[in-house]
Amino acid sequence: MVGIKDIAKAAGVSISTVSYALNGSTKVTEQTRQRIMAIAAELNYVPNMAARTLKKQQTNIIGVYLADYAGSFYGELLDGIKRGLAAYDYEMIVCSGQKSHLFIPERMVDGAIILDWTFKTQEIEMLADRGHQMVVLDREIAKDNISRVLLDNKGGATLAVERLLAAKTQHVYLVTGSMGYDNAQRLSASTKELTRFGIEYEIIAGNFTEPSGYAAAEKIAEKIDQGLATFPLDIFSFNDEMAVGIYKFFAKRKEKIGQDIRIVGFDNIEISSFLTPRLATIAYSKHRWGMVAAEKIIRLIQGEKVEDEAIYTTFVPGSSLGH
């Protein structure tokens, strides 16, 4: 591999001169810099990022930790983070899995944005105590070096239940998601509101994926076939991906969504507007969520005081809840 010693030898200059030129220092003339850059290109020189990081103690890269990449939900969020970081001349690397956690203590990234329920809270707190800056999107941690940008899951779930109550629901199937903060908050608010109004409910475990929504619909169909369900049958799917799976299952049966089966989703992903009938769902700006998270992490890194922020939800009407 070509190093700066090789460039210095080819250019007939010192190693320090090459280093100044490659790093844009004013200690060399523009003419010298351009000549050295041309030689570096001819030799196919690739900068050693690890060495540069050790010297500067800065990578200008933020690690974004996700439990999963599946589904359309993450596209808008990551685009928001990317655009937010670009405004500060930072880039992101998307991470998943235990080994990638080492990027933080080894300072391969300058900070982290975490939406990963498998990333243990105790580990996050330990990293914060060691001076690493992080923004969490999926848990409540009050600690120095950590900022929270949390989705108003309880408000969104309450909105969904309110709409089902307005539709005179008698029994609701709650199709839940993976373990973690978002799911727990939606479940807590839903059951509290349904209990308050004396509405029966049944919990069917999913994992926020389309196949788990399909499997949940199969279980609901068994109730129908056994004569244990009454129409209209109401479902609150804790995200739209699972609602898509429910749609796909009932497309093969005689029950009609929007008439026999009424559904409310959560997330307002793009495909929701193309479903027939249109899926009623809970919306929020995933793009803004990402932009705000990016702003918070950079401000933390710069040593500024950062306040926590909430991302609020709204209801998007759809014929899946009836006419």
Side-chain angles (χ1 to χ4, degrees):
M1 182 180 290
V2 174
I4 60 173
K5 289 182 180 179
D6 302 300
I7 299 172
K9 183 178 180 180
V13 298
S14 67
I15 292 173
S16 59
T17 298
V18 174
S19 179
Y20 291 144
L22 294 176
N23 288 290
S25 172
T26 56
K27 292 182 179 181
V28 296
T29 65
E30 180 61 20
Q31 182 179 4
T32 299
R33 190 189 72 81
Q34 289 186 6
R35 186 169 73 87
I36 289 173
M37 292 297 287
I39 292 170
E42 286 178 16
L43 296 175
N44 295 317
Y45 168 73
V46 178
N48 186 326
M49 284 296 295
R52 181 174 293 183
T53 296
L54 286 171
K55 184 177 180 180
K56 295 175 64 179
Q57 287 294 298
Q58 183 178 334
T59 64
N60 279 54
I61 297 173
I62 300 298
V64 180
Y65 288 84
L66 304 176
D68 189 11
Y69 306 145
S72 59
F73 164 85
Y74 294 102
E76 288 183 61
L77 178 72
L78 290 173
D79 186 63
I81 294 173
K82 179 182 178 182
R83 289 175 181 270
L85 293 177
Y88 297 93
D89 196 28
Y90 268 75
E91 296 180 4
M92 69 177 183
I93 179 170
V94 183
C95 310
S96 184
Q98 187 65 38
K99 290 182 180 178
S100 66
H101 295 191
L102 294 174
F103 293 167
I104 302 172
E106 291 181 3
R107 298 196 179 277
M108 299 304 291
V109 294
D110 294 341
I113 296 171
I114 300 172
L115 180 61
D116 181 353
W117 63 271
T118 69
F119 204 132
K120 301 302 182 185
T121 295
Q122 185 178 8
E123 183 181 358
I124 294 171
E125 291 176 334
M126 178 192 68
L127 289 167
D129 287 338
R130 293 179 178 178
H132 300 284
Q133 287 78 31
M134 289 162 287
V135 172
V136 293
L137 308 185
D138 62 353
R139 69 199 74 198
E140 297 186 33
I141 306 177
K143 206 168 189 60
D144 290 342
N145 294 318
I146 297 176
S147 177
R148 300 177 294 184
V149 184
L150 302 179
L151 179 63
D152 184 19
N153 289 288
K154 286 189 173 181
T158 301
L159 275 175
V161 172
E162 283 180 355
R163 295 295 175 153
L164 288 166
L165 291 168
K168 303 191 185 314
T169 186
Q170 297 299 313
H171 184 101
V172 179
Y173 289 92
L174 301 174
V175 181
T176 64
S178 306
M179 292 175 59
Y181 177 82
D182 292 332
N183 183 70
Q185 293 282 296
R186 294 173 199 182
L187 182 59
S188 172
S190 300
T191 55
K192 180 179 179 180
E193 200 70 8
L194 290 167
T195 300
R196 173 177 286 153
F197 286 91
I199 302 299
E200 294 181 354
Y201 62 86
E202 188 172 336
I203 298 170
I204 300 178
N207 61 12
F208 285 139
T209 65
E210 183 182 312
S212 73
Y214 191 97
E218 287 182 312
K219 293 178 181 177
I220 293 171
E222 288 176 8
K223 301 277 188 179
I224 295 172
D225 295 340
Q226 293 167 9
L228 300 176
T230 56
F231 296 108
L233 185 151
D234 294 320
I235 302 171
F236 175 24
S237 173
F238 279 21
N239 80 342
D240 289 355
E241 291 283 346
M242 294 190 297
V244 171
I246 295 169
Y247 266 71
K248 287 188 175 180
F249 177 83
F250 280 108
K252 303 187 302 182
R253 289 177 59 98
K254 63 180 181 180
E255 295 87 11
K256 299 297 182 185
I257 290 178
Q259 298 175 27
D260 308 304
I261 310 292
R262 301 189 299 193
I263 306 177
V264 180
F266 202 116
D267 284 342
N268 193 35
I269 61 175
E270 187 176 5
I271 196 173
S272 302
S273 61
F274 297 103
L275 294 173
T276 304
R278 205 273 188 220
L279 177 65
T281 187
I282 302 301
Y284 54 92
S285 175
K286 292 171 280 297
H287 190 272
R288 181 174 183 276
W289 198 8
M291 290 279 287
V292 172
E295 175 198 326
K296 301 289 185 186
I297 190 62
I298 299 303
R299 290 180 59 193
L300 276 175
I301 290 168
Q302 294 175 345
E304 298 180 29
K305 185 175 181 180
V306 178
E307 295 182 355
D308 295 336
E309 196 158 336
I311 303 298
Y312 293 105
T313 56
T314 57
F315 177 74
V316 177
S319 299
S320 69
L321 193 51
H323 299 290

